[in-house]
Amino acid sequence: MTKSISDVSGDEVVAGGGLLSRRLLLKSSLIGTGAVAAGLTASTGALAEADIPDWVTVSGERARGYGLPAESETDVQRAIIEPWQEVAAAFSLSGTPHHRLRGTITPSGLHFEVHHGGRPDVDPARHRLMLHGLVERPLKFDLESLERYPMVTATHFLECAGNSLFNAIMPEPMQAGCDMLHGLLSNSEWTGVPLSVLMDEAGVKPEGLWVVAAGSDGPALARSIPIEKIMNDGILALYQNGERIRPEQGYPMRLLLPGFEGNMNVKWLTSLWVTDAPAHTKHESGEYTEILADGSSVKFTFALGVKSFITHPSATMTMNGPGFYEISGLAWSGAGRVERVEVSADGGQSWAEAALDGPINPRALTRFRLPWRWDGSPLVLMSRATDETGAVQPARSDWKAKYDPSNFLHYNAIQPWQITAEGAVQNVYM
Amino acid sequence: MTKSISDVSGDEVVAGGGLLSRRLLLKSSLIGTGAVAAGLTASTGALAEADIPDWVTVSGERARGYGLPAESETDVQRAIIEPWQEVAAAFSLSGTPHHRLRGTITPSGLHFEVHHGGRPDVDPARHRLMLHGLVERPLKFDLESLERYPMVTATHFLECAGNSLFNAIMPEPMQAGCDMLHGLLSNSEWTGVPLSVLMDEAGVKPEGLWVVAAGSDGPALARSIPIEKIMNDGILALYQNGERIRPEQGYPMRLLLPGFEGNMNVKWLTSLWVTDAPAHTKHESGEYTEILADGSSVKFTFALGVKSFITHPSATMTMNGPGFYEISGLAWSGAGRVERVEVSADGGQSWAEAALDGPINPRALTRFRLPWRWDGSPLVLMSRATDETGAVQPARSDWKAKYDPSNFLHYNAIQPWQITAEGAVQNVYM
């Protein structure tokens, strides 16, 4: 009744390098993983006294008020990323260790950080949000009053415009894990007040076309947002994965603009100023502008492009011998839902469609999976995402051709991982 | 263009006590909350130097490896529940503070706990899962080998069979918050290996009809599960909200049986023993059996009933004066999706249908919301959930009539909250 992976017929191999049909995931009887688990003989099945682990023989710890990860997991940390130290000492970044995580939600303790002036220690009782400028009734909100407003809950990714910057600008591929290479990306369930409710209470004047959002951090990071985005799906986020937003993510409140580049989702939000034109703040004209190949610059790039990468296996990992594996990774798009993810195990010569874990939420991380039998030969794995608008993740060379060589913003090219005959997994450019 | 809540016409009031149509949530221009926010005059709009908070004037903290909640939120803790101390000193329980949370995901640090012998300190490198009994090939799994298997990700609630026990058995309603009253309930994104994959690899014999699952805690909590549930949607859960399962939730692996009562989702799972009959373990015959009104007993109650309660406002809270509020709460069912939640603000004389936040996942917490204008009069709020099988949450008297007076398991009756003229929110029976 059970077939091991060695019984899989030629029909079930769907692309080069040993990729198997995603439909096998629905037929568990076809994907017995053979030699992975150890056989249990009658003698190993009976527990000898020496086999009884010590934790069974003692009383466990009692219930506690707030839980933490297991002691054995304390090496699962955000990667501190410091490439910016020469540019600006105030920058402080950390990346989510996606190669240590599964699922789609990012634990709040491991959500990436990009701070332009550090993480301020905001007193929630004294924090205020002002809504002013081109409105009929300027308003001031404290945290307590916001608790009475209608709220929405939605799962969305945040990605820094500079995520994957090392792949964008380093002449040779950096050998590092997904935390350093793609870690400025996280996914949370956010809950807060729709900004349209607050805007309608203030009464936006017809000439109010932009909203300049500013944070309560030292540099008062400020960005100009089109009023359409604010009214369409902008959220004043107060909760992250059920509890109050973490200090690193803007406690006690932040702007949440689903799909828009990270820094526009202003943290520690203290001011929404309705204007008739963008403010051209330092942060938008000086830091988040990209230069194109022809020398012209793009000052506002709002939605992030379609993108994906394989988390298992990924660079810095070592394969555990030939045989069955599940290839697993993350895909997302600032434009909407992920429509399709294809995987190649022969450096892009052939592709197979991966299974997507549902529900597939718009502008949220989506987990893809594909069964794979590795025969131990060297090869290159890659994933390529397509979103519901039809946009497809580009090759690195196509992405580079669009921009000035100095640009590192909005890098969304395909990530190839080389598997060596020794089982090392390495970052490569293709 | 903007209407304040005082402009809402009679047509938009849909039930007694000031309940407004859920459709208002889609029309932000109709739910301006009027007097909640403070008006901002020209003078208050301009920041005086004294208004600049000190956290803006100093450098913030740099990025760190693992984040924690804000210092100001350290009072958001699980409630330590100790009603069992007289019965069994080894029992240790804590409840999720749902009245302090929003959204649907429970932060892992606040997931409820029920430990029968405390939380063991399991060494993941030495932990093994044995799959044995009526199988062709007994197998033993370590954590590393399981990483190669196909996985699934799904969001599901867990609820202790004894959740809401105080409402079930106390003659007068206990005045406590949602943490004490309904806190043995949480909701996580779980990722792990489908049990059907492991069972097919072992090859279940035709006479294998039950699986006895045992934990690696001191009392070796063990429960008998029908093989159909294991094969249908059972998961060997390895990850919780993206990261490794927390110690309190069964690190490094637990059984996850969507919709089944909490203790069957065996934590620190070390043995799956395929049998031809249930084992009638102490934990199933002695602890989780309920006695009916006619004196007969029900030994196995698998799926939890349809249930809901309002989290905002809820007992121990105080209203912040008359005016607009959003009523918000949680609904769930062990049988599938929540189909509908109705809310009453006049003690059950009239009901209005609440809005449900999507996506509505099966056997997962679902957030419901309804706009409400409180005129300051005393009244009773309640919610009543219906699931996709048509099951409806009962009144307390109907629930009590089914069982022996001593039974406190599987309480799923409607929760009424009394609002007094002074704005106190109290637990009442109706």
Side-chain angles (χ1 to χ4, degrees):
Chain A
M1 154 183 160
T2 304
K3 290 207 281 182
S4 82
I5 206 67
S6 55
D7 302 322
V8 169
S9 72
D11 289 352
E12 288 146 350
V13 174
V14 292
L19 293 181
L20 306 175
S21 168
R22 71 185 189 279
R23 281 181 288 274
L24 289 177
L25 295 178
L26 302 175
K27 298 180 192 169
S28 62
S29 63
L30 288 174
I31 49 167
T33 49
V36 176
L40 194 67
T41 65
S43 66
T44 60
L47 275 174
E49 195 173 338
D51 291 334
I52 298 174
D54 46 354
W55 60 79
V56 175
T57 65
V58 296
S59 288
E61 296 291 326
R62 297 188 65 78
R64 56 180 169 176
Y66 198 93
L68 293 170
E71 289 289 331
S72 313
E73 300 296 319
T74 47
D75 64 326
V76 182
Q77 299 265 329
R78 294 185 281 223
I80 307 298
I81 305 174
E82 300 196 311
W84 298 88
Q85 294 311 92
E86 295 155 31
V87 184
F91 265 84
S92 180
L93 296 83
S94 69
T96 299
H98 289 293
H99 57 305
R100 305 295 300 272
L101 306 180
R102 300 270 194 174
T104 67
I105 290 287
T106 305
S108 300
L110 295 172
H111 192 290
F112 84 88
E113 300 169 276
V114 176
H115 305 317
H116 290 245
R119 158 173 53 87
D121 182 21
V122 178
D123 178 354
R126 289 165 58 212
H127 182 81
R128 297 291 181 272
L129 170 64
M130 292 187 296
L131 203 175
H132 55 129
L134 297 171
V135 296
E136 301 291 345
R137 291 170 293 280
L139 297 170
K140 187 157 69 171
F141 303 91
D142 60 19
L143 198 55
E144 188 182 0
S145 68
L146 288 167
E147 283 296 303
R148 293 177 63 165
Y149 281 77
M151 294 196 193
V152 290
T153 294
T155 299
H156 291 297
F157 77 84
L158 284 177
E159 183 185 17
C160 177
N163 191 28
S164 316
L165 71 125
F166 299 112
N167 276 356
I169 54 168
M170 288 185 73
E172 296 299 323
M174 187 166 88
Q175 296 308 324
C178 290
D179 47 356
M180 294 291 288
L181 293 176
H182 304 297
L184 302 180
L185 163 80
S186 301
N187 196 54
S188 303
E189 185 198 75
W190 302 99
T191 298
V193 181
L195 286 167
S196 57
V197 171
L198 305 182
M199 289 290 164
D200 280 349
E201 186 174 0
V204 177
K205 293 180 178 174
E207 61 271 31
L209 300 177
W210 291 75
V211 177
V212 183
S216 181
D217 51 341
L221 187 138
R223 291 301 312 258
S224 308
I225 316 292
I227 191 85
E228 291 83 356
K229 179 67 178 178
I230 296 282
M231 298 300 283
N232 184 34
D233 62 358
I235 300 170
L236 176 64
L238 301 166
Y239 294 83
Q240 173 185 9
N241 297 334
E243 66 191 339
R244 286 275 180 203
I245 285 185
R246 291 293 179 88
E248 288 94 323
Q249 275 77 61
Y251 180 83
M253 59 189 72
R254 80 175 301 160
L255 197 59
L256 204 284
L257 304 169
F260 274 26
E261 64 173 27
N263 72 92
M264 292 180 175
N265 299 264
V266 176
K267 294 182 285 192
W268 315 293
L269 186 71
T270 192
S271 173
L272 291 170
W273 177 37
V274 181
T275 62
D276 59 355
H280 301 294
T281 69
K282 162 182 179 286
H283 302 98
E284 52 206 12
S285 61
E287 289 169 8
Y288 289 101
T289 295
E290 60 242 43
I291 304 171
L292 300 184
D294 66 3
S296 66
S297 68
V298 179
K299 193 170 280 178
F300 293 103
T301 303
F302 298 113
L304 290 152
V306 61
K307 192 166 169 181
S308 71
F309 64 96
I310 294 169
T311 58
H312 298 79
S314 61
T316 72
M317 287 184 184
T318 304
M319 302 297 287
N320 192 12
F324 180 88
Y325 290 88
E326 184 182 69
I327 295 170
S328 173
L330 295 168
W332 67 100
S333 168
R337 287 181 174 80
V338 171
E339 177 79 20
R340 182 169 60 251
V341 180
E342 297 156 293
V343 171
S344 175
D346 55 11
Q349 294 175 63
S350 63
W351 297 84
E353 193 166 339
L356 305 180
D357 274 352
I360 301 172
N361 295 310
R363 302 175 183 85
L365 295 192
T366 299
R367 174 69 61 179
F368 63 88
R369 306 175 188 280
L370 194 67
W372 173 46
R373 189 181 180 213
W374 183 47
D375 68 4
S377 309
L379 51 75
V380 174
L381 292 178
M382 46 176 71
S383 65
R384 180 173 66 188
T386 302
D387 71 19
E388 64 180 327
T389 73
V392 183
Q393 201 179 353
R396 184 173 188 272
S397 54
D398 293 337
W399 185 89
K400 289 291 284 183
K402 280 175 60 184
Y403 295 101
D404 181 83
S406 69
N407 178 54
F408 58 84
L409 296 173
H410 299 109
Y411 183 84
N412 70 327
I414 289 169
Q415 170 67 67
W417 302 126
Q418 169 129 34
I419 317 283
T420 71
E422 295 73 37
V425 188
Q426 298 172 343
N427 184 17
V428 288
Y429 292 162
M430 287 186 72
Chain B
M1 155 183 161
T2 304
K3 289 210 280 182
S4 82
I5 207 66
S6 55
D7 301 323
V8 171
S9 73
D11 290 350
E12 287 145 349
V13 175
V14 291
L19 293 181
L20 305 175
S21 168
R22 70 185 189 280
R23 283 181 285 274
L24 288 176
L25 295 178
L26 303 175
K27 298 179 191 171
S28 62
S29 63
L30 288 173
I31 50 169
T33 47
V36 177
L40 192 69
T41 64
S43 65
T44 59
L47 276 174
E49 196 173 337
D51 293 333
I52 298 175
D54 44 355
W55 60 79
V56 176
T57 65
V58 295
S59 287
E61 296 293 324
R62 299 188 63 77
R64 56 180 168 176
Y66 199 94
L68 293 170
E71 289 288 330
S72 313
E73 299 296 319
T74 48
D75 64 327
V76 183
Q77 300 265 330
R78 293 184 282 223
I80 307 298
I81 305 175
E82 301 197 311
W84 298 88
Q85 293 312 94
E86 296 154 32
V87 184
F91 265 82
S92 179
L93 296 83
S94 69
T96 298
H98 290 293
H99 57 305
R100 305 295 299 272
L101 305 180
R102 301 269 195 175
T104 67
I105 290 287
T106 305
S108 300
L110 296 172
H111 192 291
F112 82 89
E113 300 168 277
V114 176
H115 305 318
H116 289 244
R119 158 174 51 87
D121 183 19
V122 179
D123 178 353
R126 289 165 57 210
H127 182 81
R128 297 291 180 274
L129 170 64
M130 292 187 296
L131 203 176
H132 55 129
L134 296 171
V135 296
E136 300 292 345
R137 290 170 293 280
L139 297 171
K140 187 158 69 170
F141 303 91
D142 61 19
L143 197 56
E144 189 181 1
S145 67
L146 287 166
E147 282 296 303
R148 294 176 64 166
Y149 281 76
M151 295 196 193
V152 291
T153 294
T155 299
H156 292 296
F157 76 84
L158 283 177
E159 183 185 16
C160 177
N163 191 28
S164 316
L165 71 127
F166 298 112
N167 276 356
I169 55 169
M170 289 186 72
E172 296 299 323
M174 187 167 87
Q175 296 307 324
C178 290
D179 48 356
M180 294 291 288
L181 293 176
H182 304 297
L184 301 181
L185 164 79
S186 301
N187 196 54
S188 302
E189 185 198 74
W190 302 99
T191 298
V193 181
L195 287 168
S196 58
V197 171
L198 305 182
M199 289 291 164
D200 281 348
E201 186 175 358
V204 177
K205 292 180 179 174
E207 62 270 32
L209 300 177
W210 291 75
V211 177
V212 182
S216 181
D217 51 341
L221 187 138
R223 291 304 310 260
S224 307
I225 316 293
I227 190 85
E228 291 81 359
K229 180 65 177 179
I230 296 282
M231 297 301 284
N232 184 34
D233 63 358
I235 299 171
L236 176 64
L238 302 166
Y239 294 85
Q240 174 185 10
N241 296 334
E243 66 191 338
R244 286 276 179 202
I245 284 185
R246 292 291 180 88
E248 288 94 322
Q249 275 78 59
Y251 179 81
M253 58 188 72
R254 80 175 302 161
L255 197 59
L256 205 283
L257 303 170
F260 275 26
E261 63 174 26
N263 72 92
M264 292 181 176
N265 299 263
V266 176
K267 294 182 283 192
W268 316 293
L269 186 71
T270 192
S271 173
L272 292 170
W273 176 36
V274 182
T275 61
D276 59 356
H280 302 296
T281 69
K282 162 181 181 284
H283 302 98
E284 49 206 15
S285 61
E287 289 169 7
Y288 289 101
T289 295
E290 59 238 44
I291 304 172
L292 301 184
D294 65 5
S296 65
S297 68
V298 179
K299 194 170 278 179
F300 293 103
T301 303
F302 298 113
L304 291 151
V306 62
K307 193 165 169 182
S308 71
F309 63 97
I310 294 169
T311 58
H312 298 79
S314 61
T316 72
M317 288 184 184
T318 305
M319 304 295 290
N320 192 11
F324 180 88
Y325 290 88
E326 182 182 69
I327 294 170
S328 173
L330 295 169
W332 68 99
S333 168
R337 287 182 175 79
V338 171
E339 177 78 22
R340 182 169 60 252
V341 179
E342 298 156 293
V343 171
S344 175
D346 55 12
Q349 294 176 64
S350 64
W351 297 85
E353 193 167 340
L356 304 181
D357 274 353
I360 301 171
N361 294 310
R363 303 175 180 85
L365 295 191
T366 298
R367 173 72 60 182
F368 64 88
R369 306 174 187 283
L370 194 68
W372 172 47
R373 190 182 180 210
W374 183 47
D375 68 3
S377 309
L379 50 77
V380 174
L381 292 179
M382 46 176 73
S383 64
R384 179 173 66 188
T386 303
D387 70 20
E388 62 180 330
T389 73
V392 184
Q393 203 178 352
R396 184 173 185 273
S397 54
D398 293 336
W399 184 89
K400 288 291 283 183
K402 279 176 61 184
Y403 295 100
D404 181 84
S406 68
N407 178 53
F408 58 84
L409 297 173
H410 299 110
Y411 183 85
N412 71 327
I414 289 169
Q415 170 65 68
W417 301 127
Q418 168 128 35
I419 317 282
T420 71
E422 295 73 36
V425 188
Q426 297 171 344
N427 184 19
V428 289
Y429 292 161
M430 287 186 73

